[in-house]
Amino acid sequence: MTRTRNPWHVLLVLCLGQSVALMDTTIVNVAIPAIVEGTGATVNQVLWVLNGYVLTYAVLIVTGGRLGDLFGQKRAFMAGLGLFITASALCGLAADPVQLIAARLLQGVGGAVLTPQALAIVSHIFPPERRGAALGVWGAFVSAAAAIGPTVGGLLVSSLGWRWVFFVNLPIGLAAIALSAVVVPDLRGAGRRRLDVRGTVVLMAALAALVYALLEGARHSWGRLWGPVTAPALVVAGLVLLVVFFLVERSRQDRDPLVPFAVLRDREFTVMSLVVAALPSGLGAMLLLTSINLQFGRGLSAAATGLALAVAPLVSVLVSPFGGRLTDRFGGKYVLIVGFGLFAGGIGALALAARPDVAWTASVPGLALAGVGMGVVFSPPATIAMRGIPPALSGAASGLFNMTRLGGSLLGAAAVGAVLQSRLAASFAEVEGLPGDVGTAVRRSVAGAEGVDLAAVRDLGGPSWDTVFQHAVLDAVRWTYLLPVTIVVAGALGALAVRARAPDAVR
């Protein structure tokens, strides 16, 4: 255990560095209209400004974690952060959408190298009895970074222009690199080690196929993506490549594998890596549904909706440190189950409030309760997963752990999108008595290849249609909320497989 530096100072520097990558996931969304106006980007190009980052981030995050094991977490953290801010500068200087997308892909590479190192370093420098509190503080900081992204983005776009949502990363990132050089300890292990190139290439190909299919499948109705290639075929190809990857890794477990099977043999790590996927999956679905609920079902502006949605992450910021302390004191199993229960209860309350005869403000208590659950749930999975992992494998473990979190987010987004489109189509199909031209237009939109275009359908009629439209949206959203509730409850049930023991039992 490395104790030569104050671990809380190290944690603060890690949080500062990681905040730029996390803030970038929300800050760019606000700038999309200005980016379209400034670069002339098409709808498809705009989607890849958002999704290009996710694609390279997801494909490389396991490799990024392993690079920390091989070459040192401090070195990988600083290199990833340097690459990220370089790509941010290129994003801000982009002259057209193609350059912007290429720079966003490069940002994803930097984020994939940077992100896994924080969890690995925290696991090194904090003793088990204080690790939960440290991860709770880390959770509060990163939640705050994501929560303030839309607000900071709105201010920057309105005052300085869209390019500054990228340029803002430069001073923060440079400060974090300078502080890392002084504060973060060098945790490199002894001995010469090599990167598993063959395993890396196979895993990258597998994840690229799966992530691309999840990102593009819904937009193409899970049919043909390009030429003869379909989304289901790409999913099958990705799964086959994962099997090939397993065989490749099994043959080189004694020669610096990309994924050491010793990590997967740790029962609590494996269980938590699956359970943790429920949090981003449920959270992403909740935020999407609540945004549609408030904007299309209630008629709130985008700014008012953003402020309302901020309730959940802001509450989680206040609760996260206490969730970490509870994990240190009582062990993570029951803290995790209670947190998931509160999170599911908050989403259920949002579903009950999504009714035409209930004011939109009734959604605020549900958002607050979900935020409490999020804050409680953030610390236990990482604490439980990493407490039995040897320091030499912490980077690989962190990469895998972060990959399953991202996988949960992508699967949740794809699932909620499919269910919501189905419910919207059913809700609008049940509307009767529409004027002929309006009815025809609604049916055409509902039957469209890319699903229901809510903005187009909303603008079809007058005031009487507005009421019908809002009721149909609320009905669809209310039933779709059952999906994230189910996902979060499944996470709570999965937590039952964790051994009930206090962290100080593992020293």
Short mmCIF file of all heavy atoms in Angstrom, two decimals, residues 460-496:
data_model
loop_
_atom_site.label_atom_id
_atom_site.label_comp_id
_atom_site.label_asym_id
_atom_site.label_seq_id
_atom_site.Cartn_x
_atom_site.Cartn_y
_atom_site.Cartn_z
N LEU A 460 -48.55 19.17 -35.71
CA LEU A 460 -49.52 18.87 -36.76
C LEU A 460 -50.84 19.63 -36.60
O LEU A 460 -51.51 19.91 -37.59
CB LEU A 460 -49.82 17.36 -36.78
CG LEU A 460 -48.68 16.47 -37.30
CD1 LEU A 460 -49.03 15.02 -37.11
CD2 LEU A 460 -48.41 16.76 -38.77
N GLY A 461 -51.25 19.91 -35.39
CA GLY A 461 -52.57 20.49 -35.18
C GLY A 461 -52.55 21.72 -34.30
O GLY A 461 -51.49 22.26 -33.97
N GLY A 462 -53.75 22.15 -33.88
CA GLY A 462 -53.90 23.34 -33.05
C GLY A 462 -53.98 23.00 -31.58
O GLY A 462 -53.55 21.92 -31.14
N PRO A 463 -54.55 23.90 -30.78
CA PRO A 463 -54.62 23.73 -29.32
C PRO A 463 -55.30 22.42 -28.89
O PRO A 463 -54.85 21.78 -27.95
CB PRO A 463 -55.41 24.95 -28.86
CG PRO A 463 -55.17 25.97 -29.93
CD PRO A 463 -55.08 25.21 -31.20
N SER A 464 -56.39 22.05 -29.57
CA SER A 464 -57.07 20.81 -29.17
C SER A 464 -56.18 19.60 -29.40
O SER A 464 -56.19 18.64 -28.62
CB SER A 464 -58.37 20.66 -29.95
OG SER A 464 -58.11 20.61 -31.35
N TRP A 465 -55.40 19.63 -30.49
CA TRP A 465 -54.47 18.53 -30.76
C TRP A 465 -53.34 18.50 -29.74
O TRP A 465 -52.87 17.43 -29.36
CB TRP A 465 -53.90 18.66 -32.17
CG TRP A 465 -52.72 17.76 -32.43
CD1 TRP A 465 -51.47 18.12 -32.75
CD2 TRP A 465 -52.69 16.34 -32.37
NE1 TRP A 465 -50.64 17.04 -32.90
CE2 TRP A 465 -51.38 15.91 -32.67
CE3 TRP A 465 -53.65 15.37 -32.10
CZ2 TRP A 465 -51.01 14.58 -32.70
CZ3 TRP A 465 -53.28 14.03 -32.13
CH2 TRP A 465 -51.98 13.65 -32.43
N ASP A 466 -52.91 19.65 -29.25
CA ASP A 466 -51.85 19.71 -28.25
C ASP A 466 -52.21 18.87 -27.03
O ASP A 466 -51.38 18.13 -26.49
CB ASP A 466 -51.58 21.15 -27.81
CG ASP A 466 -50.88 21.95 -28.90
OD1 ASP A 466 -50.37 21.33 -29.85
OD2 ASP A 466 -50.85 23.19 -28.80
N THR A 467 -53.46 19.00 -26.59
CA THR A 467 -53.91 18.23 -25.41
C THR A 467 -53.90 16.74 -25.69
O THR A 467 -53.42 15.94 -24.89
CB THR A 467 -55.32 18.68 -24.99
OG1 THR A 467 -55.29 20.08 -24.70
CG2 THR A 467 -55.79 17.92 -23.77
N VAL A 468 -54.43 16.37 -26.87
CA VAL A 468 -54.45 14.95 -27.25
C VAL A 468 -53.01 14.41 -27.34
O VAL A 468 -52.71 13.31 -26.86
CB VAL A 468 -55.18 14.77 -28.59
CG1 VAL A 468 -55.06 13.32 -29.09
CG2 VAL A 468 -56.64 15.16 -28.47
N PHE A 469 -52.15 15.19 -27.94
CA PHE A 469 -50.75 14.79 -28.11
C PHE A 469 -50.08 14.57 -26.75
O PHE A 469 -49.42 13.55 -26.51
CB PHE A 469 -50.01 15.87 -28.89
CG PHE A 469 -48.51 15.71 -28.93
CD1 PHE A 469 -47.91 14.83 -29.81
CD2 PHE A 469 -47.70 16.44 -28.06
CE1 PHE A 469 -46.53 14.68 -29.83
CE2 PHE A 469 -46.32 16.30 -28.08
CZ PHE A 469 -45.73 15.41 -28.97
N GLN A 470 -50.25 15.52 -25.83
CA GLN A 470 -49.62 15.40 -24.52
C GLN A 470 -50.14 14.20 -23.75
O GLN A 470 -49.36 13.49 -23.10
CB GLN A 470 -49.84 16.69 -23.73
CG GLN A 470 -49.05 17.87 -24.27
CD GLN A 470 -49.32 19.16 -23.51
OE1 GLN A 470 -50.12 19.19 -22.60
NE2 GLN A 470 -48.65 20.23 -23.91
N HIS A 471 -51.44 13.93 -23.84
CA HIS A 471 -51.99 12.77 -23.14
C HIS A 471 -51.40 11.47 -23.70
O HIS A 471 -51.09 10.54 -22.94
CB HIS A 471 -53.51 12.76 -23.27
CG HIS A 471 -54.17 13.79 -22.41
ND1 HIS A 471 -55.53 13.78 -22.15
CD2 HIS A 471 -53.68 14.85 -21.74
CE1 HIS A 471 -55.83 14.81 -21.36
NE2 HIS A 471 -54.72 15.46 -21.11
N ALA A 472 -51.25 11.40 -25.03
CA ALA A 472 -50.70 10.19 -25.65
C ALA A 472 -49.24 9.98 -25.24
O ALA A 472 -48.81 8.86 -24.95
CB ALA A 472 -50.81 10.28 -27.17
N VAL A 473 -48.47 11.07 -25.19
CA VAL A 473 -47.07 10.97 -24.78
C VAL A 473 -46.96 10.51 -23.33
O VAL A 473 -46.17 9.63 -22.99
CB VAL A 473 -46.35 12.32 -24.97
CG1 VAL A 473 -44.98 12.30 -24.30
CG2 VAL A 473 -46.19 12.63 -26.45
N LEU A 474 -47.76 11.11 -22.45
CA LEU A 474 -47.71 10.73 -21.04
C LEU A 474 -48.09 9.26 -20.84
O LEU A 474 -47.49 8.56 -20.01
CB LEU A 474 -48.64 11.64 -20.22
CG LEU A 474 -48.16 13.09 -20.05
CD1 LEU A 474 -49.24 13.91 -19.35
CD2 LEU A 474 -46.88 13.14 -19.25
N ASP A 475 -49.06 8.80 -21.60
CA ASP A 475 -49.45 7.39 -21.48
C ASP A 475 -48.31 6.47 -21.88
O ASP A 475 -48.00 5.48 -21.20
CB ASP A 475 -50.67 7.12 -22.37
CG ASP A 475 -51.12 5.67 -22.32
OD1 ASP A 475 -51.67 5.25 -21.27
OD2 ASP A 475 -50.89 4.95 -23.31
N ALA A 476 -47.61 6.82 -23.00
CA ALA A 476 -46.49 5.99 -23.46
C ALA A 476 -45.34 6.02 -22.46
O ALA A 476 -44.76 4.98 -22.13
CB ALA A 476 -46.02 6.49 -24.83
N VAL A 477 -45.00 7.21 -21.96
CA VAL A 477 -43.89 7.35 -21.02
C VAL A 477 -44.18 6.62 -19.72
O VAL A 477 -43.31 5.94 -19.15
CB VAL A 477 -43.60 8.84 -20.76
CG1 VAL A 477 -42.68 9.02 -19.56
CG2 VAL A 477 -42.98 9.48 -22.00
N ARG A 478 -45.43 6.75 -19.24
CA ARG A 478 -45.78 6.13 -17.95
C ARG A 478 -45.53 4.62 -17.97
O ARG A 478 -44.94 4.07 -17.03
CB ARG A 478 -47.25 6.42 -17.63
CG ARG A 478 -47.69 5.87 -16.27
CD ARG A 478 -49.06 6.38 -15.87
NE ARG A 478 -50.11 5.96 -16.79
CZ ARG A 478 -50.69 6.76 -17.68
NH1 ARG A 478 -50.32 8.03 -17.78
NH2 ARG A 478 -51.64 6.32 -18.47
N TRP A 479 -45.93 3.95 -19.03
CA TRP A 479 -45.74 2.51 -19.10
C TRP A 479 -44.28 2.14 -19.36
O TRP A 479 -43.80 1.11 -18.89
CB TRP A 479 -46.65 1.91 -20.18
CG TRP A 479 -48.09 1.91 -19.77
CD1 TRP A 479 -49.08 2.74 -20.21
CD2 TRP A 479 -48.69 1.06 -18.79
NE1 TRP A 479 -50.26 2.46 -19.56
CE2 TRP A 479 -50.06 1.43 -18.69
CE3 TRP A 479 -48.22 0.02 -17.98
CZ2 TRP A 479 -50.94 0.80 -17.84
CZ3 TRP A 479 -49.11 -0.61 -17.11
CH2 TRP A 479 -50.45 -0.23 -17.05
N THR A 480 -43.58 2.98 -20.10
CA THR A 480 -42.17 2.68 -20.40
C THR A 480 -41.29 2.80 -19.16
O THR A 480 -40.24 2.15 -19.07
CB THR A 480 -41.65 3.59 -21.52
OG1 THR A 480 -42.55 3.55 -22.63
CG2 THR A 480 -40.27 3.15 -22.01
N TYR A 481 -41.69 3.62 -18.17
CA TYR A 481 -40.94 3.71 -16.92
C TYR A 481 -40.79 2.34 -16.25
O TYR A 481 -39.87 2.14 -15.43
CB TYR A 481 -41.65 4.64 -15.94
CG TYR A 481 -41.27 6.10 -16.02
CD1 TYR A 481 -42.23 7.08 -16.23
CD2 TYR A 481 -39.96 6.53 -15.87
CE1 TYR A 481 -41.91 8.44 -16.29
CE2 TYR A 481 -39.61 7.86 -15.92
CZ TYR A 481 -40.59 8.82 -16.14
OH TYR A 481 -40.25 10.15 -16.19
N LEU A 482 -41.67 1.41 -16.56
CA LEU A 482 -41.56 0.08 -15.95
C LEU A 482 -40.26 -0.61 -16.33
O LEU A 482 -39.76 -1.45 -15.56
CB LEU A 482 -42.76 -0.80 -16.38
CG LEU A 482 -44.13 -0.38 -15.84
CD1 LEU A 482 -45.22 -1.26 -16.41
CD2 LEU A 482 -44.13 -0.46 -14.31
N LEU A 483 -39.70 -0.28 -17.51
CA LEU A 483 -38.46 -0.93 -17.92
C LEU A 483 -37.30 -0.57 -17.00
O LEU A 483 -36.63 -1.48 -16.47
CB LEU A 483 -38.14 -0.57 -19.37
CG LEU A 483 -36.80 -1.12 -19.90
CD1 LEU A 483 -36.81 -2.65 -19.87
CD2 LEU A 483 -36.54 -0.61 -21.32
N PRO A 484 -36.98 0.73 -16.76
CA PRO A 484 -35.88 1.01 -15.82
C PRO A 484 -36.16 0.53 -14.41
O PRO A 484 -35.22 0.17 -13.69
CB PRO A 484 -35.73 2.54 -15.89
CG PRO A 484 -37.00 3.05 -16.47
CD PRO A 484 -37.49 1.98 -17.39
N VAL A 485 -37.42 0.52 -13.97
CA VAL A 485 -37.73 -0.02 -12.65
C VAL A 485 -37.31 -1.49 -12.60
O VAL A 485 -36.68 -1.95 -11.63
CB VAL A 485 -39.23 0.13 -12.32
CG1 VAL A 485 -39.59 -0.68 -11.08
CG2 VAL A 485 -39.58 1.59 -12.10
N THR A 486 -37.65 -2.24 -13.65
CA THR A 486 -37.29 -3.66 -13.71
C THR A 486 -35.78 -3.85 -13.72
O THR A 486 -35.25 -4.74 -13.03
CB THR A 486 -37.90 -4.30 -14.98
OG1 THR A 486 -39.32 -4.11 -14.97
CG2 THR A 486 -37.58 -5.78 -15.05
N ILE A 487 -35.07 -3.01 -14.47
CA ILE A 487 -33.61 -3.12 -14.54
C ILE A 487 -32.99 -2.88 -13.17
O ILE A 487 -32.09 -3.62 -12.73
CB ILE A 487 -33.06 -2.12 -15.57
CG1 ILE A 487 -33.46 -2.53 -16.98
CG2 ILE A 487 -31.53 -2.01 -15.46
CD1 ILE A 487 -33.16 -1.47 -18.03
N VAL A 488 -33.45 -1.85 -12.47
CA VAL A 488 -32.88 -1.51 -11.17
C VAL A 488 -33.21 -2.58 -10.13
O VAL A 488 -32.37 -2.94 -9.30
CB VAL A 488 -33.37 -0.12 -10.73
CG1 VAL A 488 -32.92 0.18 -9.30
CG2 VAL A 488 -32.86 0.95 -11.68
N VAL A 489 -34.43 -3.10 -10.16
CA VAL A 489 -34.79 -4.19 -9.24
C VAL A 489 -33.92 -5.42 -9.52
O VAL A 489 -33.49 -6.11 -8.58
CB VAL A 489 -36.29 -4.53 -9.38
CG1 VAL A 489 -36.62 -5.83 -8.64
CG2 VAL A 489 -37.14 -3.39 -8.84
N ALA A 490 -33.64 -5.69 -10.79
CA ALA A 490 -32.73 -6.80 -11.12
C ALA A 490 -31.35 -6.57 -10.53
O ALA A 490 -30.70 -7.51 -10.06
CB ALA A 490 -32.64 -6.96 -12.64
N GLY A 491 -30.90 -5.32 -10.52
CA GLY A 491 -29.62 -5.00 -9.89
C GLY A 491 -29.65 -5.30 -8.40
O GLY A 491 -28.68 -5.85 -7.84
N ALA A 492 -30.75 -4.95 -7.73
CA ALA A 492 -30.88 -5.24 -6.30
C ALA A 492 -30.87 -6.74 -6.04
O ALA A 492 -30.23 -7.22 -5.09
CB ALA A 492 -32.17 -4.62 -5.77
N LEU A 493 -31.55 -7.51 -6.87
CA LEU A 493 -31.57 -8.96 -6.71
C LEU A 493 -30.17 -9.55 -6.95
O LEU A 493 -29.75 -10.49 -6.25
CB LEU A 493 -32.58 -9.58 -7.67
CG LEU A 493 -34.05 -9.23 -7.40
CD1 LEU A 493 -34.95 -9.81 -8.49
CD2 LEU A 493 -34.49 -9.74 -6.03
N GLY A 494 -29.46 -9.01 -7.93
CA GLY A 494 -28.11 -9.47 -8.19
C GLY A 494 -27.18 -9.23 -7.01
O GLY A 494 -26.28 -10.02 -6.73
N ALA A 495 -27.43 -8.13 -6.27
CA ALA A 495 -26.59 -7.81 -5.10
C ALA A 495 -26.74 -8.85 -3.99
O ALA A 495 -25.88 -8.94 -3.12
CB ALA A 495 -26.95 -6.43 -4.57
N LEU A 496 -27.80 -9.64 -4.02
CA LEU A 496 -27.97 -10.69 -3.01
C LEU A 496 -26.87 -11.74 -3.09
O LEU A 496 -26.62 -12.46 -2.12
CB LEU A 496 -29.34 -11.36 -3.17
CG LEU A 496 -30.57 -10.48 -2.87
CD1 LEU A 496 -31.85 -11.22 -3.25
CD2 LEU A 496 -30.59 -10.11 -1.39
#
